[in-house]
Each structure stands twice: as structure tokens, then as C-alpha cells.
Amino acid sequence: MVGLVVVSHSYTAAQGIAEIAAEMAGETNIEPVGGDSDGGIGTVPDDIEAALAAADDGDGVVVLVDLGSAVMNTEVAIELSDVETVIADAPVLEGAVNAAVAATSPDATLGSVRDQAESARNVDKL
């Protein structure tokens, strides 16, 4: 099953987004990660790498990120990791929910889960 990692500059935000997505995720592994080593705002590549490993069950991981430097640190973590990983260019909350639903499919792939996450860019809220 494709796993998910939610990367936010705030661990609390990542945890909340993962909690909401988990309502739709069935058995999908969703790992929240964020904050700096002092518990402040930021992202740390080593922590992201650990989350990738925790979320992976062999089918790879789709990552959702909140802001620019989270992308950069996720790219560093991917380079350090052996986990097959893609980053979704999607709004983090809506994308995580879409990805969680897509990951429940027995036919889910990294590409199909990422595509569903990215389709959240076009969802109107009003």
C-alpha cells in the first residue's frame, strides 16, 4: 500500500492534517513530520527521512508539503532515503485527504495517489 507523509513547518499542523486524512485512509500509513529540533517552526531532513521509512510498506510514499523550504528539505531527505518517493504539488490538507482516499485502492500506485492529491488544486471551496 502506498504510504503518505505530511510535512509541515509545524508538527502540530502536520499531526492535525494527518489526523483528518486518516479518517479516509483505511489501513494507509500516514506519518506527520515537522518542526525543528528545538520544537519550533521548521523542517529537518533527517526527521523527514525517518517518516518516509515509517510510512513505507514497500509500495513507496507520496509526500505532501506546506511551504517552499519543506520541499527543499524533503528533496534532501529523498536523496538520503532508499524509499521510492514522490512529492505532490498539491494543497497540503485537501491533497492529503484526496491521497488518503486514493491510497485505499488495491490498484493504487505512486502516480495515481500523487495525481489524486494534485487534483485538489482545482477544488472550489465555495
Side-chain angles (χ1 to χ4, degrees), residues 12-107:
T12 303
Q15 192 174 35
I17 292 165
E19 180 182 2
I20 292 168
E23 289 293 317
M24 310 299 274
E27 299 296 315
T28 302
N29 292 329
I30 304 176
E31 291 292 323
V33 61
D36 67 15
S37 57
D38 296 323
I41 299 297
T43 58
V44 178
D46 289 341
D47 295 345
I48 298 168
E49 181 186 9
L52 295 175
D56 185 39
D57 72 355
D59 292 328
V61 175
V62 174
V63 181
L64 294 113
V65 297
D66 65 355
L67 300 168
S69 64
V71 174
M72 178 185 66
N73 284 330
T74 298
E75 289 171 339
V76 170
I78 291 169
E79 288 179 21
L80 298 171
S81 175
D82 293 330
V83 175
E84 187 176 0
T85 306
V86 295
I87 301 171
D89 184 11
V92 66
L93 174 58
E94 294 89 340
V97 171
N98 279 10
V101 171
T104 65
S105 169
D107 299 323

